[in-house]
Amino acid sequence: MFRHTALRYTALVLLAAGALFQAFTAEYFGLEILTEILILAMLVLALDIVAGFGGMVSLCHGALMGVGAYAFAILSTKAGIAPPVAMAGAVALTGGIGWIIGAICSRSHGIYFIMATLAFGQMAYSYVFEAPIFGGDDGLGGISRLDLSIIGVDLNDSRSFALFCLAVLGAIYGASVLILRSGPGRSLSGVMHNEQRMRALGLTVWRVKADVFGLSGMIAGVAGALAAQHILYISPALLSWTVSGEALVVVILGGLGTLVGPLVGAAAFVVLKHELSAVTTYWHLVVGLLLIAVVMSRANGLFGWVEARWGARIERRMADATRKQQPEEVLSDA
Amino acid sequence: MLETRNLTKSFGAVHVTRDVSLKLERGERRVILGPNGAGKTTLFNQLVGELTPNSGSVHLAGEDVTALPVAKRARRGLSRSYQKNTLFDGLTVEENLGLAAAVHTGNATRLWADSLAKPEVREIVDEVAEQVNLMPFLHAKVSEISYGVRRQLEVGVALATRPLVLLMDEPTSGVGPEMSKGFHDLLNNLPRDLTMLFIEHDMDLAFDVADTITVLNYGEVVFDGLPEAARGSRLLKEIYLGSWEDA
């Protein structure tokens, strides 16, 4: 079950401080990278909720993000719906689709669950690629960002948009914690540890899985709607399984089932991508080697490794303190 | 409270239970005895819905629950513990009990509340922890407690659903004599209106706690009666109790 620790709070504060520093000091290119990190962080939080706390390793979260992006684009451009309403509609749609996928896949486990979600993702990709309404391979343009001029914020400014994404990410992180501490979130954790026992206790397991998958889908939908507003153009590539695969790499790289780890992973992945791709076109090889090293080290990602070291140190200190205290207690008892 | 009528289950040519008919009254404590392979655990699995019988029916509080899945039977008040610990290993004792209590109180599916912090869940957790002597271990993870305490927790998790009927598959399996005696007290101190059916190999515990005894052999009920009658049964001595009686 999810627990906040001193280390996790510290990491969150450092990450937020780093993001704010970047948001207020960076130029255009730096702000674009920051926004990319923030949107990827939303997607990987969505994935960590189901994979890290429910054992549901999904390869359709990229497609869910794509559905959010396309739904927002079509509702706001072709249907002429106001962007805030279009965004709410896109999030609701991805939540609904996520719930259906979760309900259908809930009876499968392990590799079969992965394959089932991959199939759903590829179905969505193929449909968007072929259907004329979605613009086929050319994608869709003419997307506009939310209008927050009523509160004096112009989201067409890169800095404002990055800060807006940071605020949304903060809200999503808070919502993720609430989901994990809610009835379905805690039940899902029980299901991951022992599905048979949860069923024997009277839990309708498929329903809990579907509910949490739907909520996770909503978060992916927010990421999608913001991704569409970030680039102002979307293409079927957004729904490709490689996006889901990349999100999974980020979650594992950062630390599965920690919430904070995937945020670290998102920052590390995007920065590595941009820094390495400036040096070599084979930057994927370096990321691959890093991923192999993380997996082979048996640490739970970069943040998991830090947590393990930090946790061990705290335990040692507590044990030492207990040993020192015990003789005094014996003396005082005597 | 719990009744089976002609419950039959076979795997291919092997009949695991044959025409098993039992009737437990409210508050009755019945022990199922039988040698290994007699079909005791298979009978349990059919009672809770983990196995579908070939024929026969299961009735809980007068309702035919034979067609109901495991979760629905549990919600109607049928709870079980397992012969092998089936706990939530990465979680604390408190969280293990809380998950069960949350399911019982309906908080396990409510989105807008921390299910383990709800007062009705806390109340059940504290009460069950008291009943099965787990208070000192509430904040320990399952991986940090001894095997014997895990057996207590196994029963505690089943109890936290506030069942009408509690099924226990060898609750003292693998525990030492001292711990086994603790289980005597634990079971005897449970509410008298709780109907209990349990499989047990510890004869002292079985005869101490049971109101009635059923003996299975090759999937058939060969004895059904009071503990005193079971002690004097020649048939039972031949198929099961001989070594114990002689000892």
Side-chain angles (χ1 to χ4, degrees):
Chain A
M1 283 193 193
F2 179 73
R3 293 178 185 87
H4 264 132
T5 59
L7 180 61
R8 289 181 181 183
Y9 278 125
T10 307
L12 280 176
V13 169
L14 289 175
L15 284 169
L20 282 170
F21 179 78
Q22 179 78 357
F24 284 109
T25 59
E27 297 301 321
Y28 175 77
F29 187 62
L31 291 168
E32 289 300 298
I33 290 178
L34 175 63
T35 306
E36 189 182 339
I37 291 172
L38 296 171
I39 292 172
L40 178 61
M42 294 174 203
L43 177 66
V44 295
L45 275 184
L47 183 57
D48 196 31
I49 289 172
V50 292
F53 296 91
M56 296 187 282
V57 179
S58 160
L59 276 183
C60 72
H61 266 58
L64 287 171
M65 183 170 86
V67 167
Y70 269 91
F72 173 77
I74 286 176
L75 289 174
S76 62
T77 58
K78 297 196 173 182
I81 295 172
V85 181
M87 190 159 167
V91 171
L93 180 70
T94 45
I97 292 174
W99 191 92
I100 292 168
I101 293 174
I104 293 172
C105 298
S106 64
R107 286 171 178 82
S108 59
H109 301 87
I111 189 74
Y112 302 103
F113 184 91
I114 295 171
M115 288 298 111
T117 53
L118 175 65
F120 274 110
Q122 286 304 94
M123 282 159 62
Y125 170 77
S126 302
Y127 183 69
V128 168
F129 192 88
E130 299 294 341
I133 188 177
F134 299 115
D137 196 19
D138 295 334
L140 289 174
I143 300 162
S144 53
R145 292 179 178 172
L146 294 180
D147 182 7
L148 297 184
S149 57
I150 196 164
I151 55 167
V153 176
D154 177 14
L155 288 187
N156 291 314
D157 171 52
S158 293
R159 200 176 310 281
S160 301
F161 190 68
L163 284 166
F164 176 68
C165 287
L166 181 60
V168 174
L169 177 62
I172 284 177
Y173 184 87
S176 302
V177 172
L178 287 178
I179 290 169
L180 293 172
R181 285 183 178 162
S182 71
R186 291 202 186 274
S187 298
L188 186 71
S189 195
V191 168
M192 186 171 79
H193 282 93
N194 196 330
E195 184 168 331
Q196 179 198 11
R197 191 67 193 260
M198 284 306 287
R199 196 172 280 117
L201 292 174
L203 186 77
T204 308
V205 170
W206 75 265
R207 182 66 195 268
V208 164
K209 285 185 174 180
D211 286 351
V212 180
F213 210 91
L215 291 166
S216 169
M218 290 176 80
I219 295 173
V222 174
L226 288 175
Q229 292 174 59
H230 179 214
I231 309 293
L232 304 174
Y233 160 80
I234 49 173
S235 76
L238 203 56
L239 288 88
S240 167
W241 77 270
T242 54
V243 176
S244 304
E246 210 166 79
L248 194 57
V249 166
V250 171
V251 170
I252 294 169
L253 197 63
L256 186 71
T258 60
L259 276 196
V260 181
L263 301 180
V264 175
F269 183 83
V270 174
V271 170
L272 267 178
K273 184 172 83 172
H274 284 284
E275 294 299 320
L276 290 173
S277 62
V279 179
T280 172
T281 50
Y282 303 112
W283 65 273
H284 275 109
L285 290 178
V286 180
V287 174
L289 286 173
L290 181 62
L291 184 67
I292 291 168
V294 165
V295 171
M296 296 299 283
S297 72
R298 295 185 187 176
N300 184 20
L302 297 171
F303 187 71
W305 181 78
V306 175
E307 269 197 327
R309 287 181 67 87
W310 186 282
R313 199 170 293 176
I314 289 174
E315 275 177 28
R316 268 200 305 274
R317 282 184 186 170
M318 286 176 72
D320 288 346
T322 311
R323 267 197 299 275
K324 282 177 188 167
Q325 202 176 358
Q326 270 172 349
E328 291 169 16
E329 282 173 359
V330 171
L331 283 173
S332 64
D333 288 347
Chain B
M1 183 56 71
L2 179 67
E3 187 179 356
T4 68
R5 294 177 193 161
N6 306 106
L7 216 52
T8 298
K9 179 73 187 173
S10 58
F11 297 106
V14 180
H15 291 276
V16 193
T17 57
R18 296 175 195 240
D19 285 326
V20 174
S21 295
L22 301 172
K23 191 171 185 180
L24 275 81
E25 300 298 336
R26 182 184 163 91
E28 183 177 335
R29 295 171 175 196
R30 181 177 300 220
V31 173
I32 297 183
L33 300 175
N36 288 334
K40 305 183 294 293
T41 298
T42 305
L43 173 64
F44 262 35
N45 290 341
Q46 291 173 80
L47 292 175
V48 297
E50 288 176 4
L51 273 179
T52 307
N54 297 115
S55 61
S57 57
V58 179
H59 301 258
L60 179 66
E63 181 191 5
D64 186 346
V65 296
T66 318
L68 294 184
V70 177
K72 282 191 176 172
R73 292 191 204 196
R75 287 200 293 273
R76 278 168 168 74
L78 198 55
S79 189
R80 78 169 291 185
S81 69
Y82 292 82
Q83 185 181 356
K84 275 181 72 178
N85 288 330
T86 311
L87 301 166
F88 308 103
D89 286 344
L91 308 184
T92 64
V93 168
E94 185 179 38
E95 288 167 342
N96 270 261
L97 297 174
L99 282 173
V103 174
H104 171 69
T105 55
N107 286 299
T109 51
R110 282 184 198 135
L111 186 59
W112 302 115
D114 182 345
S115 54
L116 301 191
K118 298 290 279 185
E120 60 269 30
V121 172
R122 298 283 336 144
E123 189 185 327
I124 294 176
V125 168
D126 290 343
E127 194 178 312
V128 171
E130 196 74 55
Q131 280 177 329
V132 294
N133 308 322
L134 287 172
M135 272 300 187
F137 310 101
L138 269 185
H139 302 297
K141 282 189 175 177
V142 171
S143 55
E144 296 165 351
I145 58 177
S146 70
Y147 178 80
V149 178
R150 287 185 207 188
R151 293 306 293 161
Q152 288 167 229
L153 179 58
E154 180 70 30
V155 175
V157 169
L159 271 175
T161 60
R162 291 270 196 261
L164 296 172
V165 179
L166 177 62
L167 309 179
M168 289 178 286
D169 194 347
E170 297 193 38
T172 62
S173 168
V175 304
E178 194 63 32
M179 200 76 167
S180 186
K181 188 181 176 312
F183 261 97
H184 283 223
D185 302 335
L186 188 155
L187 296 177
N188 277 324
N189 288 335
L190 291 178
R192 257 328 295 193
D193 61 346
L194 176 64
T195 307
M196 292 198 292
L197 178 66
F198 59 103
I199 298 168
E200 187 52 68
H201 284 302
D202 180 337
M203 291 302 157
D204 291 331
L205 177 70
F207 284 108
D208 180 40
V209 177
D211 298 325
T212 48
I213 285 183
T214 296
V215 180
L216 286 182
N217 196 29
Y218 294 112
E220 286 183 282
V221 175
V222 294
F223 177 87
D224 196 6
L226 298 172
E228 298 76 38
R231 283 179 192 275
S233 165
R234 180 176 293 276
L235 175 67
L236 293 193
K237 284 178 189 168
E238 283 173 11
I239 66 166
Y240 190 77
L241 298 176
S243 58
W244 166 77
E245 193 76 349
D246 294 342

